[in-house]
Amino acid sequence: MNIAFAVIVLGVLGALFGLVLAVASKVFEVKKDPREEAILSHLAGANCGGCGYPGCAGCAAAILAGNASVTACAPAGAENAAAIAEIMGMSAPTGERQVAFVRCNGGTNAVKRFEYVGVKDCISATKVAAGPLECDFGCLGFGSCVAACQFGAMSIGPNGAAVVDPEKCTACMACAKACPRHLITSVPASKKVHVACANLNKGKAAMSVCSSSCIGCGLCQKECKKDAIHVENGVAVIDYDKCVGCKLCTKVCPRDAILPIATAEEKEKYKAIKKAQAEKAAAAKKAAEEAAASSAQ
């Protein structure tokens, strides 16, 4: 009898507390804007953190609050960004798709100070005497960026430096945040010519630490017909708004620091063309001088 009574009392109390909680949930309910769920449905769902917010739900809330742009989720792509803009009552964003690019092609070309045998992680490697490379700007090649990429767009290339697959890259830039040397940047997807070096040291200092480092010689800047590449702080930098992809800079770079690397045959052919042009210009100048001297007589 006592057990039955206790069960009845507990049942009544449970029902009473349940009723109280149900009423409280209605009284204190926080109304959620239905647009937040709509926005969330157009995000990538990878919770990669590339947007800078705690997961996709945090990104959706930030977009709704006006603290993040409709393009905050790069992996979602232009189509979803346009859909989010429509939800927010805004015009669809414009602009070219961006992809990540690693500003280093050193890898095995970089000089090592010691052989690192610790945890295979770039951040961990930098904790040991600032890293195993002589170059303070070189890719360490232990794959912190690869681990951070949720889309399989990052890998360690044959030469030991990280590379990006532009077809898979969503420009979430999680890789950039994982790189302790800040070597990864975003570039327009349509552009194919890139400076694969971030070494700010000049001449001999840069040359001594890597066989493919930019040495700030300025040959690329001199050769560019579109004024699209300049040496800034000791390293060549491309202005993608001006670059037309002619690749002349790649053919004159003595260090193969500009991608795509020109072959020896391409460089020799270009040298021959330049020589012929110089000889033609010299001959024309001489002929003009002789004609002027003749007319003066």
Side-chain angles (χ1 to χ4, degrees), residues 45-64:
N47 292 311
C48 62
C51 60
Y53 295 94
C56 293
C59 182
I63 292 173
L64 186 61

Side-chain angles (χ1 to χ4, degrees), residues 140-167:
L140 295 164
F142 294 119
S144 290
C145 55
V146 178
C149 181
Q150 301 295 309
F151 305 96
M154 297 290 303
S155 62
I156 301 301
N159 73 338
V163 293
V164 178
D165 182 342
E167 298 303 317

Side-chain angles (χ1 to χ4, degrees), residues 6-194:
V7 170
I8 292 172
V9 171
L10 287 173
V12 172
L13 289 173
L16 180 61
F17 289 142
L19 179 62
V20 171
L21 289 172
V23 172
S25 68
K26 290 296 182 182
V27 172
F28 299 106
E29 179 183 9
V30 177
K31 297 294 183 181
K32 195 171 185 179
D33 192 323
R35 292 180 297 169
E36 187 170 332
E37 285 297 324
I39 292 170
L40 184 60
S41 70
H42 287 287
L43 301 183
N47 292 311
C48 62
C51 60
Y53 295 94
C56 293
C59 182
I63 292 173
L64 186 61
N67 296 324
S69 71
V70 296
T71 59
C73 180
E79 186 176 333
N80 282 308
I84 293 171
E86 186 176 349
I87 293 168
M88 293 293 291
M90 302 166 59
S91 58
T94 59
E96 185 176 352
R97 184 174 80 90
Q98 301 284 303
V99 294
F101 175 73
V102 182
R103 295 182 300 146
C104 179
N105 192 39
T108 52
N109 295 323
V111 178
K112 285 188 176 182
R113 290 193 290 121
F114 60 87
E115 195 66 37
Y116 174 73
V117 293
V119 177
K120 298 302 180 182
D121 173 80
C122 299
I123 297 175
S124 298
T126 60
K127 303 299 182 183
V128 181
L133 299 181
E134 288 285 359
C135 179
D136 295 330
F137 306 89
C139 173
L140 295 164
F142 294 119
S144 290
C145 55
V146 178
C149 181
Q150 301 295 309
F151 305 96
M154 297 290 303
S155 62
I156 301 301
N159 73 338
V163 293
V164 178
D165 182 342
E167 298 303 317
K168 295 180 179 179
C169 181
T170 62
C172 71
M173 303 311 289
C175 55
K177 294 177 181 178
C179 178
R181 292 195 161 177
H182 311 294
L183 297 174
I184 306 176
T185 187
S186 62
V187 298
S190 66
K191 301 298 183 180
K192 306 304 178 186
V193 179
H194 307 291

Side-chain angles (χ1 to χ4, degrees), residues 193-266:
V193 179
H194 307 291
V195 178
C197 183
N199 195 324
L200 300 181
N201 295 324
K202 297 180 180 179
K204 187 177 180 180
M207 190 180 298
S208 64
V209 297
C210 181
S211 61
S212 61
S213 63
C214 174
I215 56 175
C217 66
L219 288 176
C220 54
Q221 177 176 313
K222 181 180 178 181
E223 196 65 24
C224 183
K225 310 301 182 186
K226 302 297 181 179
D227 192 40
I229 186 167
H230 298 91
V231 174
E232 299 177 7
N233 297 320
V235 66
V237 177
I238 294 176
D239 181 342
Y240 291 107
D241 290 333
K242 295 180 179 180
C243 180
V244 296
C246 66
K247 303 178 185 177
L248 294 184
C249 55
T250 70
K251 295 173 183 177
V252 298
C253 178
R255 307 285 293 171
D256 291 338
I258 307 176
L259 303 181
I261 297 174
T263 64
E265 183 180 357
E266 288 174 329

Side-chain angles (χ1 to χ4, degrees), residues 281-297:
K285 181 180 179 181
K286 184 178 180 181
E289 291 173 347
E290 290 176 346
S294 178
S295 62
Q297 294 175 355

